[in-house]
Amino acid sequence: MSIQFDAQTKTFRLETLKTSYVMGISEYGHLLHLYFGKKIGNDDIRVLFAGKIKTGFCPVPNGCDKKYSLNTLPQEFSSDGVGDFRYPSITVVNSDGSYAFEGKYEGHRIYKGKYRLDGLPSLFANENEKADSIEIDLKDSVTGVCVTLYYGVFEEKNIITRAVTVKNEGSLPVSLRRIMSFSLDFRRSGFDFIHFYGHAYLERLTERQHVTHAACEISSAKGIPGHEHNPSVILCDSDATEDFGECYGAALLYTGNFLCGAKLDQFNQTRFVMGINPEKFEFILGCKDKFTAPEAVLSYSSEGFAVMTHQFHDIFRENACKSKYMKQRRPVLVNNWEATRFDFNGDKIVDIAIEGKKLGADLFVLDDGWFGKRNSDSAGLGDWTVNREKMGGELSDVIKRVNDAGLMFGLWFEPEMINEDSDLYRNHPDWVLKIPGRNPALCRNQLVLDITRPDVREYLIKSINDILDNNNIEYVKWDFNRYLTDVYSLLADSRHQGEVFHRFVLGFYNLLDSIILTHPDILFEGCSGGGGRFDGAMLCYQPQIWCSDQTDAVWRTKIQYGTSFAYPVSSMGAHVSACPNKKTGRTVSFKTRAAVAMSGTFGYELDTTKMTDQEKEECAHYTELFKKYYDIITFGDYYRLTSPFSNSGYCAWEHVSKDKSECLVTVVTLEALPQEHTAYIKPKGLDENAIYIIEGADIKLTGKTMMNAGIPFNMFIGQYESRQYYIKKI
Ligand code: DGJ
């Protein structure tokens, strides 16, 4: 068992192959955090924490010894209002109006297998995979509010998951105002906080800050994680690199408002928290009601970011989503959006599909504009009936023509949205999020459906499933093109409006359960104006997510670099688009566009009917290459060899097969150099003593030579040019 409780020392130990996580129940019943890091011996480590800090202005719980303060001791789940002034893990307003929660140990349960959560996605253990769980109850004896901390231990994958439930076991209602999925205390400073920021068309750029006494904090209050911040972060040693230093990666499985923060306290201890954003959040818990906070995935590495990333990639590839496409090859797709926008008819899309086949595509995706009166973004959303006039007949006829051309067929939906100019809105104006007496804000001319309502969900499930069940649809792109404003449900009374943001997320997961999980043979791809909804919870339903509407290959090197810290390459929707790029006006060689898209799911986003035969041949060549390297790219270990944010003039990355027998190194030049210059690219993760050859080059070296001396890359090939090196063990 990877989880042990020592009744004598009252300590809990969670062990993976490389990490230890230790907690202890104090003499006064509080659960203290004793250690999380590189594997340690099975010692009684309470001695290390015996020295309590005695300082002024640090409250002591009544009846405890004078050096015992919740404000200085490392807490496993920090209390609120009773003496810990650092980030609280929970805020409860009790029925008497008091703000107080003091959790004391009540009991625990250790069991084999991975816990699951009610109504929220979470990681699962595969058959024959070792995973254990523990639940620890902490109760406030005055109010009866009981918090249960959940830990899942994936021993071989070096992953620990956390989640929390709050149950009102008292006799009066309470108001939950804040709930973190985890809180981690470190009795040290010297951390950096790395997070992934951006905006639409430029998601998940990388920023690194030193953790000081001023909070490092990221959050979303937009209803979804959004483009501006991503619910994945890294707390690491200030000198940590790809190959060195301690890193604590955390990814929240939540598609709503989140908060993540790290801060030093007055004694230079660090507290690191992640959970639901308390802004505009309130949940009323009546007697016996239970609230479940989302799961957070922790990936610890003592050897730098690369190992942390590999652990994240393995768990998200193998333990999040049950789609058959997690194991089965995914089709290379061609999508009509950048080619046509709303301006198409049935013949045009069939033509794009037929020409797409010549590029080697396996799947054609019909994007926005096939339903209702959807000829621009101002009408039709919500009316999930085929626009027969535009399509020139039934959808099934068009699908048949695409299938006859040898391609699978995929379709776009944006279920949670509605245009005022739609039959749905005309019939159900009360089905949207809006505050009585105010005109709700529009964004892309659309409003948001109130999917906290069962009747709205029922309509969506029925109308979408009807289309999926009556047509040969093998792929769905599920889009979401605005943030939430005017968050108010006409179904809820005024006391419960603080619940709407979270209930919206629960409603969304219910839609996914009823549409995605009931169609196991369809490949679902997430999307939100590009990558506004890219999080671990989505990966529990959808193997891939459209990374960004920014298809400029140079910007993509930065977007995909940031995305790769937590999320696997196999989850990153990446396509080749036409040049000059529609968003940036930049022209990048086809080869580079293909090389960058290959570090993702690969596909095309262009008008295949406007390409020359030579261009089509070139495309077919790169599709073939992608298919050749598919297994290394999709299932291998990913290494960031250099950062696209550095001033080296190039960026490089690598995919290595798990058995180290082959790898693919990609290098893109970001600058035009004034003179010849050779950079030495050092691959990683090879077998030191094996001999490797680089395909197409006269280079044959041992793994250790290649990894330490590097392979020569002539940077004088021009700006935005690229090379790919396929390296094979002989
Ligand atoms: C936003 C997506 O990111 C695009 O790829 C496209 O599907 C449009 N929505 C369609 O409205």
Side-chain angles (χ1 to χ4, degrees):
M1 201 71 167
S2 58
I3 302 175
Q4 300 290 340
F5 176 64
D6 182 333
Q8 212 181 346
T9 59
K10 293 196 178 152
T11 50
F12 299 96
R13 301 181 72 92
L14 282 50
E15 306 272 7
T16 72
L17 288 182
K18 294 185 185 170
T19 56
S20 303
Y21 191 117
V22 190
M23 300 165 265
I25 305 164
S26 77
E27 62 268 47
Y28 300 110
H30 301 106
L31 188 64
L32 301 183
H33 178 78
L34 300 183
Y35 180 80
F36 179 28
K38 191 171 177 173
K39 193 141 186 167
I40 53 174
N42 197 12
D43 313 289
D44 178 5
I45 61 166
R46 289 175 309 161
V47 289
L48 301 175
F49 299 92
K52 293 164 196 157
I53 309 170
K54 180 183 184 299
T55 48
F57 288 88
C58 288
V60 172
N62 224 301
C64 298
D65 86 61
K66 287 196 179 116
K67 286 184 181 176
Y68 186 95
S69 173
L70 301 181
N71 198 38
T72 59
L73 287 163
Q75 305 294 319
E76 187 59 24
F77 187 77
S78 46
S79 57
D80 193 25
V82 293
D84 186 345
F85 298 119
R86 299 170 288 177
Y87 277 130
S89 299
I90 185 169
T91 297
V92 184
V93 183
N94 301 301
S95 56
D96 58 2
S98 62
Y99 285 71
F101 174 84
E102 182 180 7
K104 289 201 179 177
Y105 173 78
E106 267 281 301
H108 71 268
R109 296 159 295 283
I110 298 175
Y111 49 88
K112 282 194 184 309
K114 167 71 186 2
Y115 65 80
R116 301 292 279 177
L117 300 173
D118 288 342
L120 289 168
S122 56
L123 301 182
F124 56 82
N126 290 297
E127 224 181 309
N128 302 324
E129 182 174 37
K130 212 166 162 234
D132 300 314
S133 300
I134 175 169
E135 299 172 17
I136 306 176
D137 302 325
L138 307 177
K139 191 166 183 173
D140 184 290
S141 58
V142 177
T143 61
V145 171
C146 181
V147 161
T148 301
L149 308 181
Y150 290 72
Y151 300 79
V153 180
F154 290 88
E155 192 175 352
E156 273 140 29
K157 290 202 166 87
N158 293 303
I159 290 285
I160 293 179
T161 63
R162 304 268 315 255
V164 174
T165 60
V166 184
K167 191 166 176 199
N168 181 2
E169 289 179 358
S171 52
L172 294 166
V174 300
S175 158
L176 182 67
R177 301 280 176 93
R178 175 186 175 100
I179 183 74
M180 293 294 113
S181 294
F182 74 79
S183 164
L184 276 174
D185 277 359
F186 299 90
R187 296 195 114 177
R188 55 167 279 208
S189 58
F191 283 116
D192 278 1
F193 183 77
I194 300 179
H195 65 102
F196 307 98
Y197 73 100
H199 56 78
Y201 315 122
L202 217 52
E203 301 88 339
R204 293 174 299 285
L205 303 179
T206 309
E207 195 165 69
R208 183 169 181 161
Q209 291 164 256
H210 194 53
V211 177
T212 66
H213 299 90
C216 292
E217 248 185 45
I218 57 159
S219 64
S220 163
K222 300 177 165 115
I224 58 170
H227 307 78
E228 208 175 325
H229 291 298
N230 188 267
S232 63
V233 295
I234 304 164
L235 188 76
C236 61
D237 284 342
S238 289
D239 54 358
T241 64
E242 287 290 341
D243 314 298
F244 174 80
E246 291 201 282
C247 332
Y248 297 84
L252 193 67
L253 270 55
Y254 191 57
T255 317
N257 294 344
F258 74 95
L259 171 94
C260 179
K263 188 159 72 167
L264 287 183
D265 71 6
Q266 55 192 321
F267 312 111
N268 296 329
Q269 307 185 104
T270 306
R271 177 164 290 173
F272 177 35
V273 299
M274 197 173 203
I276 293 178
N277 189 351
E279 195 181 314
K280 300 189 192 70
F281 170 81
E282 178 183 21
F283 227 89
I284 309 291
L285 296 179
C287 177
K288 300 278 175 261
D289 281 354
K290 191 167 121 181
F291 181 89
T292 305
E295 178 165 282
V297 180
L298 300 175
S299 172
Y300 167 80
S301 155
S302 61
E303 307 154 74
F305 307 130
V307 168
M308 174 206 75
T309 284
H310 296 161
Q311 292 167 178
F312 267 138
H313 287 192
D314 286 347
I315 202 96
F316 281 131
R317 277 188 301 215
E318 293 164 27
N319 302 76
C321 183
K322 291 197 168 146
S323 163
K324 68 176 187 187
Y325 283 106
M326 298 314 293
K327 294 197 176 112
Q328 194 170 310
R329 276 198 174 220
R330 295 185 219 159
V332 167
L333 67 84
V334 57
N335 175 305
N336 71 305
W337 177 246
E338 289 209 14
T340 64
R341 305 275 152 157
F342 297 102
D343 185 17
F344 61 82
N345 57 32
D347 289 341
K348 174 71 186 172
I349 59 161
V350 172
D351 288 347
I352 294 180
I354 290 172
E355 295 308 308
K357 181 72 190 165
K358 297 183 186 157
L359 315 185
D362 310 298
L363 161 76
F364 169 77
V365 178
L366 175 55
D367 211 282
D368 195 355
W370 56 269
F371 52 90
K373 300 257 172 335
R374 184 86 171 155
N375 293 313
S376 75
D377 62 18
S378 55
L381 277 178
D383 295 341
W384 299 110
T385 46
V386 179
N387 184 339
R388 290 189 185 80
E389 204 185 316
K390 187 168 179 180
M391 300 294 283
E394 298 296 331
L395 180 63
S396 52
D397 298 333
V398 175
I399 296 178
K400 180 163 186 319
R401 288 165 71 195
V402 171
N403 291 161
D404 288 348
L407 289 108
M408 300 155 76
F409 184 87
L411 201 58
W412 180 97
F413 289 90
E414 192 179 1
E416 304 93 316
M417 297 295 164
I418 182 166
N419 286 118
E420 284 171 310
D421 186 0
S422 67
D423 291 341
L424 187 67
Y425 188 76
R426 283 181 279 276
N427 292 332
H428 298 284
D430 53 332
W431 275 13
V432 302
L433 292 176
K434 66 176 170 198
I435 302 170
R438 285 179 194 275
N439 272 334
L442 290 164
C443 193
R444 208 191 186 210
N445 303 309
Q446 62 200 54
L447 295 172
V448 186
L449 281 169
D450 179 3
I451 57 167
T452 70
R453 297 174 65 123
D455 49 358
V456 173
R457 294 201 302 271
E458 208 177 296
Y459 162 77
L460 290 172
I461 293 164
K462 179 165 182 346
S463 50
I464 293 170
N465 282 351
D466 268 358
I467 294 178
L468 300 183
D469 294 339
N470 293 310
N471 292 285
N472 187 24
I473 292 167
E474 296 180 81
Y475 163 105
V476 166
K477 178 175 177 184
W478 188 312
D479 210 343
F480 187 96
N481 285 302
R482 63 160 291 176
Y483 299 139
L484 272 51
T485 61
D486 305 275
V487 176
Y488 191 98
S489 173
L490 296 176
L491 267 201
D493 65 30
S494 58
R495 280 198 70 217
H496 292 85
Q497 294 299 330
E499 301 176 7
V500 176
F501 268 116
H502 181 68
R503 289 196 185 278
F504 186 90
V505 180
L506 296 181
F508 174 54
Y509 294 144
N510 176 263
L511 284 182
L512 298 178
D513 288 340
S514 313
I515 297 174
I516 296 191
L517 300 189
T518 53
H519 293 92
D521 290 331
I522 296 182
L523 171 60
F524 284 84
E525 174 155 359
C527 178
S528 170
R533 202 155 66 168
F534 208 122
D535 68 82
M538 298 305 297
L539 293 180
C540 292
Y541 291 99
Q542 303 168 337
Q544 58 196 59
I545 303 173
W546 181 227
C547 217
S548 175
D549 271 344
Q550 182 56 266
T551 53
D552 172 292
V554 176
W555 277 117
R556 272 289 182 134
T557 61
K558 296 186 167 69
I559 294 169
Q560 292 174 197
Y561 171 86
T563 309
S564 76
F565 279 87
Y567 307 115
V569 171
S570 59
S571 68
M572 294 186 213
H575 301 164
V576 175
S577 66
C579 272
N581 183 275
K582 287 211 166 110
K583 296 267 163 9
T584 62
R586 180 160 31 203
T587 294
V588 172
S589 71
F590 195 88
K591 183 177 183 179
T592 298
R593 280 179 275 154
V596 174
M598 262 187 223
S599 205
T601 57
F602 199 77
Y604 295 96
E605 193 97 11
L606 34 72
D607 193 342
T608 53
T609 64
K610 293 193 177 136
M611 297 171 82
T612 63
D613 283 347
Q614 197 195 330
E615 284 172 330
K616 280 181 213 155
E617 255 173 52
E618 210 179 343
C619 280
H621 165 71
Y622 288 109
T623 310
E624 212 175 284
L625 268 191
F626 172 71
K627 289 183 178 175
K628 174 176 164 195
Y629 302 137
Y630 185 91
D631 285 348
I632 325 177
I633 292 171
T634 311
F635 305 114
D637 284 334
Y638 178 79
Y639 288 91
R640 294 166 293 269
L641 299 181
T642 65
S643 163
F645 296 98
S646 77
N647 58 5
S648 65
Y650 67 94
C651 67
W653 62 91
E654 181 197 21
H655 310 271
V656 188
S657 63
K658 287 276 180 194
D659 67 0
K660 299 175 191 283
S661 65
E662 45 182 352
C663 83
L664 180 69
V665 171
T666 304
V667 195
V668 176
T669 57
L670 299 173
E671 299 288 351
L673 292 187
Q675 56 188 11
E676 289 264 357
H677 177 77
T678 300
Y680 285 83
I681 314 292
K682 298 180 178 175
K684 295 182 179 177
L686 302 182
D687 183 342
E688 291 213 328
N689 298 315
I691 314 266
Y692 290 86
I693 48 161
I694 302 179
E695 195 179 65
D698 192 18
I699 297 181
K700 186 169 157 193
L701 296 167
T702 55
K704 63 180 152 208
T705 304
M706 238 180 232
M707 290 194 289
N708 291 305
I711 51 179
F713 165 64
N714 177 7
M715 288 177 66
F716 198 60
I717 54 172
Q719 194 178 28
Y720 311 142
E721 285 303 334
S722 57
R723 291 282 179 270
Q724 286 189 293
Y725 302 92
Y726 173 62
I727 302 172
K728 200 171 165 42
K729 191 175 182 174
I730 53 169

